[in-house]
Amino acid sequence: MVQQTLEVVKATELKEKPDPATLKFGRQFSDHMFMMDYSAVDGWHQPRVVPYQPLELDPSAMVFHYGQSVFEGLKAYRSADGNILLFRPEENFRRLNESCDRLCIPQVNEEAMLEYLKELVKLDKDWVPSEVGTSLYIRPFIISTEPTLDVSPARAYTLMIILSPVGSFYKGGIDPVGIFVEDEYTRSAPGGTGYAKTAGNYSGAYKAQERASTHGKAQVLWLDGVEKKYIEEVGSMNVFFKINGEIHTPALSGSILDGITRKSVIELLESNGMNVRQRQISMDELIAANEAGSLQEVFGTGTAAVISPVGRLEYKGQDYVINGSEMGETARWLHETLVGIQTGEQEDPFGWTIVLET
Ligand SMILES: *Cc1c(COP(=O)(O)O)cnc(C)c1O
């Protein structure tokens, strides 16, 4: 019988915690990690929390060759009264399974995963920083480990969760970013893997990200893979527009990520009486709205930055300034409200947060 209950092996030596003032994204990791294996015979088995450690994999492990892997990203926040809060973690495990489905990776038990995650974070609770703007970034991921060069879905996988304390995204206040509208490279196409958090989507985006950087822009704005006309998303964020007082965002078409921040922003706005239009938005329409003075705000949404206002857009060699490159009132309100709920500073009428019993 394979082991199915959570085994915990504690680290004998604990690492020194990094200085929260100098934290960089994803550079330091906590004392423990979660692991679980899949085999065709036993399914997912041997869930365990072990000291954070390197892996041993065969060079032929399929993930190295064909990139059959999926990941998630969420955060644990420290509230002012010392509690640890998770923000909608069940949504991440639901989406992990959607990504798994697209990549032919066997489904995981979402309820069990949530329990394993809670145990891991509780054990490494001292790694959840408490300074304003900081959090513990949580990275669940699955890799195919079967040692064969066959081009087919693997019959062996490992699921892991690693934890990394992250600093404030906005050290000197929230500065709107510049984005480069990419009209040559595309990120995904209808029928592709755009809605899945799978490794190849990100390495495939580096080339465009590099070009955006050489143009002095922080992020890429992706257009649709067919006509290169309609807006998809910004870097690893979903994107919203305020036009004539109304909020618009690209509809989920299968080629963009179904962001949990996106979903939360829509629910927040709608519960406050604002209508959010999920539809196709063309670059031409956006430029026309900006020229006419009716484009009031552009902002990205994602776990890392929560809300990231966009101050400038470069499209076909021309720079467009949005809202005088100032953060707009809707973005500001959304940021305050979401961060407030995530950190327990504001009431959570939606039941989005889970308080860990530590
Ligand atoms: C993860 C991700 C997002 C944002 O999703 P959240 O659940 O809000 O963090 C948006 N776009 C892409 C491409 C992503 O990978």
Side-chain angles (χ1 to χ4, degrees):
M1 205 29 213
V2 292
Q3 174 219 326
Q4 289 293 2
T5 54
L6 184 68
E7 172 196 9
V8 178
V9 182
K10 288 192 186 170
T12 48
E13 255 177 78
L14 301 183
K15 296 183 237 183
E16 205 178 308
K17 309 277 183 308
D19 173 5
T22 58
L23 283 174
K24 291 214 173 86
F25 178 78
R27 300 283 176 90
Q28 274 137 326
F29 297 93
S30 71
D31 290 313
H32 297 90
M33 64 194 285
F34 172 81
M35 298 181 86
M36 179 166 79
D37 302 313
Y38 177 91
S39 69
V41 174
D42 294 319
W44 286 109
H45 63 279
Q46 214 194 340
R48 57 203 187 273
V49 170
V50 294
Y52 187 91
Q53 59 190 276
L55 306 175
E56 192 168 289
L57 285 172
D58 197 283
S60 70
M62 293 172 97
V63 66
F64 296 134
H65 306 278
Y66 312 122
Q68 193 192 11
S69 72
V70 294
F71 70 92
E72 268 305 324
L74 67 157
K75 284 174 170 178
Y77 301 86
R78 177 82 66 181
S79 69
D81 51 14
N83 281 326
I84 295 172
L85 303 174
L86 296 173
F87 185 71
R88 310 188 83 173
E90 66 288 348
E91 291 286 338
N92 292 92
F93 291 119
R94 177 192 58 76
R95 189 170 64 190
L96 182 70
N97 266 340
E98 278 173 21
S99 298
C100 282
D101 177 66
R102 183 63 182 81
L103 272 290
C104 295
I105 295 173
Q107 299 281 295
V108 300
N109 179 325
E110 295 170 26
E111 290 76 36
M113 284 310 307
L114 184 52
E115 292 311 310
Y116 300 148
L117 172 63
K118 287 183 189 170
E119 291 308 315
L120 175 66
V121 176
K122 275 191 220 174
L123 185 59
D124 278 351
K125 62 183 190 314
D126 293 343
W127 286 85
V128 184
S130 55
E131 287 71 13
V132 173
T134 63
S135 57
L136 184 69
Y137 183 78
I138 300 168
R139 169 57 61 86
F141 64 111
I142 302 175
I143 56 170
S144 49
T145 54
E146 191 184 348
T148 163
L149 299 182
D150 274 356
V151 185
S152 62
R155 282 160 299 190
Y157 300 87
T158 297
L159 183 157
M160 287 164 271
I161 305 176
I162 54 177
L163 307 174
S164 176
V166 292
S168 173
F169 211 82
Y170 297 117
K171 290 221 168 62
I174 303 183
D175 262 339
V177 295
I179 59 181
F180 182 83
V181 182
E182 177 58 61
D183 60 359
E184 183 188 348
Y185 299 117
T186 59
R187 179 183 174 274
S188 74
T193 57
Y195 69 88
K197 271 183 126 70
T198 182
N201 286 349
Y202 301 84
S203 48
Y206 292 162
K207 197 77 181 162
Q209 179 62 43
E210 238 173 42
R211 169 148 64 193
S213 301
T214 61
H215 285 249
K217 301 296 187 292
Q219 298 274 350
V220 175
L221 186 146
W222 297 105
L223 300 178
D224 73 277
V226 179
E227 297 181 71
K228 296 178 183 160
K229 205 170 139 182
Y230 298 101
I231 293 160
E232 299 243 294
E233 49 187 327
V234 171
S236 301
M237 293 187 288
N238 295 108
V239 65
F240 286 76
F241 306 97
K242 185 176 178 182
I243 305 170
N244 273 332
E246 212 186 12
I247 309 293
H248 306 253
T249 193
L252 297 177
S253 55
S255 54
I256 66 172
L257 227 285
D258 181 2
I260 295 160
T261 319
R262 174 187 185 276
K263 178 188 243 178
S264 306
V265 159
I266 293 171
E267 289 172 21
L268 255 182
L269 288 169
E270 290 187 338
S271 77
N272 279 273
M274 277 171 277
N275 186 30
V276 180
R277 295 191 51 203
Q278 303 182 48
R279 62 181 184 91
Q280 257 191 344
I281 303 160
S282 74
M283 210 44 222
D284 288 346
E285 175 192 343
L286 199 71
I287 298 297
N290 197 43
E291 305 282 77
S294 51
L295 177 62
Q296 297 156 303
E297 295 189 41
V298 179
F299 54 90
T301 67
T303 296
V306 189
I307 304 290
S308 177
V310 173
R312 278 180 312 138
L313 272 176
E314 179 176 339
Y315 181 50
K316 294 195 187 294
Q318 209 163 326
D319 248 18
Y320 300 90
V321 175
I322 296 147
N323 191 35
S325 207
E326 295 288 327
M327 186 173 192
E329 57 176 16
T330 305
R332 192 171 297 283
W333 177 79
L334 283 167
H335 191 262
E336 277 172 16
T337 309
L338 268 179
V339 170
I341 293 173
Q342 287 166 339
T343 57
E345 239 163 86
Q346 285 202 21
E347 223 189 302
D348 173 17
F350 306 95
W352 284 339
T353 51
I354 293 182
V355 181
L356 287 190
E357 316 286 335
T358 57

